[in-house]
Amino acid sequence: IMPLPESGLEFLPCVLAHTKRGTIIQVYAISKQKNLFADVEKKISKIMKNEKVKIKFCGRQKVLPYAPRLQKVRIDFKIL
Protein backbone atom coordinates (compact mmCIF):
# COMPACT_ATOMS: atom_id res chain seq x y z
CA ILE A 1 0.00 0.00 0.00
CA MET A 2 1.35 3.39 -1.00
CA PRO A 3 -0.93 5.92 0.73
CA LEU A 4 1.02 9.13 0.05
CA PRO A 5 -0.96 10.65 -2.84
CA GLU A 6 1.33 13.58 -3.63
CA SER A 7 4.50 11.59 -4.36
CA GLY A 8 3.68 7.89 -4.07
CA LEU A 9 4.40 7.25 -7.74
CA GLU A 10 8.03 8.30 -7.24
CA PHE A 11 8.60 5.27 -5.00
CA LEU A 12 7.29 2.61 -7.38
CA PRO A 13 10.76 1.62 -8.66
CA CYS A 14 11.92 1.10 -5.05
CA VAL A 15 8.87 -1.03 -4.26
CA LEU A 16 9.62 -3.40 -7.14
CA ALA A 17 12.76 -4.63 -5.39
CA HIS A 18 10.54 -6.06 -2.64
CA THR A 19 7.81 -7.64 -4.76
CA LYS A 20 7.34 -10.84 -6.72
CA ARG A 21 4.91 -12.13 -9.32
CA GLY A 22 1.32 -11.97 -8.21
CA THR A 23 1.82 -9.04 -5.82
CA ILE A 24 -1.02 -6.51 -5.84
CA ILE A 25 0.05 -2.92 -5.26
CA GLN A 26 -2.38 -0.18 -4.25
CA VAL A 27 -1.28 3.33 -5.22
CA TYR A 28 -3.00 6.51 -4.06
CA ALA A 29 -2.69 9.59 -6.26
CA ILE A 30 -4.24 12.98 -6.97
CA SER A 31 -6.07 13.24 -10.28
CA LYS A 32 -8.08 15.83 -12.14
CA GLN A 33 -11.78 15.03 -12.21
CA LYS A 34 -11.81 15.32 -16.00
CA ASN A 35 -9.66 12.21 -16.58
CA LEU A 36 -10.06 10.61 -13.20
CA PHE A 37 -8.19 7.31 -13.62
CA ALA A 38 -6.61 7.54 -17.08
CA ASP A 39 -3.89 10.04 -16.11
CA VAL A 40 -2.70 8.00 -13.14
CA GLU A 41 -2.81 4.71 -15.06
CA LYS A 42 -0.68 6.23 -17.84
CA LYS A 43 1.92 7.37 -15.29
CA ILE A 44 2.01 3.94 -13.64
CA SER A 45 2.29 2.20 -17.03
CA LYS A 46 5.17 4.45 -18.06
CA ILE A 47 7.08 3.78 -14.82
CA MET A 48 6.53 0.02 -15.09
CA LYS A 49 7.58 0.01 -18.76
CA ASN A 50 10.82 1.78 -17.84
CA GLU A 51 11.42 -0.89 -15.18
CA LYS A 52 10.54 -3.68 -17.70
CA VAL A 53 7.75 -5.03 -15.49
CA LYS A 54 4.42 -6.24 -16.85
CA ILE A 55 1.30 -5.31 -14.90
CA LYS A 56 -2.45 -5.68 -15.06
CA PHE A 57 -4.79 -3.06 -13.59
CA CYS A 58 -7.32 -4.77 -11.35
CA GLY A 59 -9.08 -2.02 -9.41
CA ARG A 60 -10.00 1.67 -9.29
CA GLN A 61 -11.60 3.67 -6.53
CA LYS A 62 -12.48 7.30 -5.93
CA VAL A 63 -11.34 7.94 -2.37
CA LEU A 64 -12.27 11.51 -1.50
CA PRO A 65 -12.19 15.08 -2.79
CA TYR A 66 -8.77 16.66 -2.45
CA ALA A 67 -9.30 20.20 -3.74
CA PRO A 68 -11.61 21.91 -6.23
CA ARG A 69 -11.62 19.76 -9.39
CA LEU A 70 -9.07 17.35 -7.87
CA GLN A 71 -9.83 13.89 -6.51
CA LYS A 72 -7.82 11.42 -4.48
CA VAL A 73 -7.95 8.03 -6.23
CA ARG A 74 -6.67 4.51 -5.61
CA ILE A 75 -5.39 2.31 -8.42
CA ASP A 76 -4.73 -1.39 -7.83
CA PHE A 77 -2.47 -3.37 -10.13
CA LYS A 78 -0.95 -6.82 -10.16
CA ILE A 79 2.66 -7.70 -11.04
CA LEU A 80 2.66 -10.33 -13.84
Side-chain angles (χ1 to χ4, degrees):
I1 297 177
M2 299 180 63
L4 185 63
E6 294 86 6
S7 60
L9 293 174
E10 296 173 19
F11 296 99
L12 277 178
C14 300
V15 169
L16 294 176
H18 303 284
T19 61
K20 57 184 178 180
R21 288 179 73 176
T23 301
I24 295 177
I25 299 175
Q26 297 178 329
V27 177
Y28 290 83
I30 306 299
S31 182
K32 295 180 181 176
Q33 276 185 306
K34 190 174 184 181
N35 299 350
L36 201 54
F37 300 107
D39 293 341
V40 178
E41 287 179 350
K42 282 181 186 177
K43 290 176 186 177
I44 292 171
S45 294
K46 183 177 178 183
I47 292 168
M48 292 297 133
K49 190 173 184 180
N50 288 342
E51 297 293 323
K52 298 181 175 112
V53 175
K54 293 183 181 181
I55 63 169
K56 177 183 176 186
F57 292 103
C58 55
R60 311 168 154 180
Q61 176 86 33
K62 283 198 307 186
V63 179
L64 43 91
Y66 187 76
R69 293 180 293 284
L70 292 177
Q71 184 81 27
K72 186 174 177 182
V73 296
R74 187 189 80 217
I75 305 287
D76 305 337
F77 62 93
K78 186 175 189 175
I79 305 292
L80 301 177

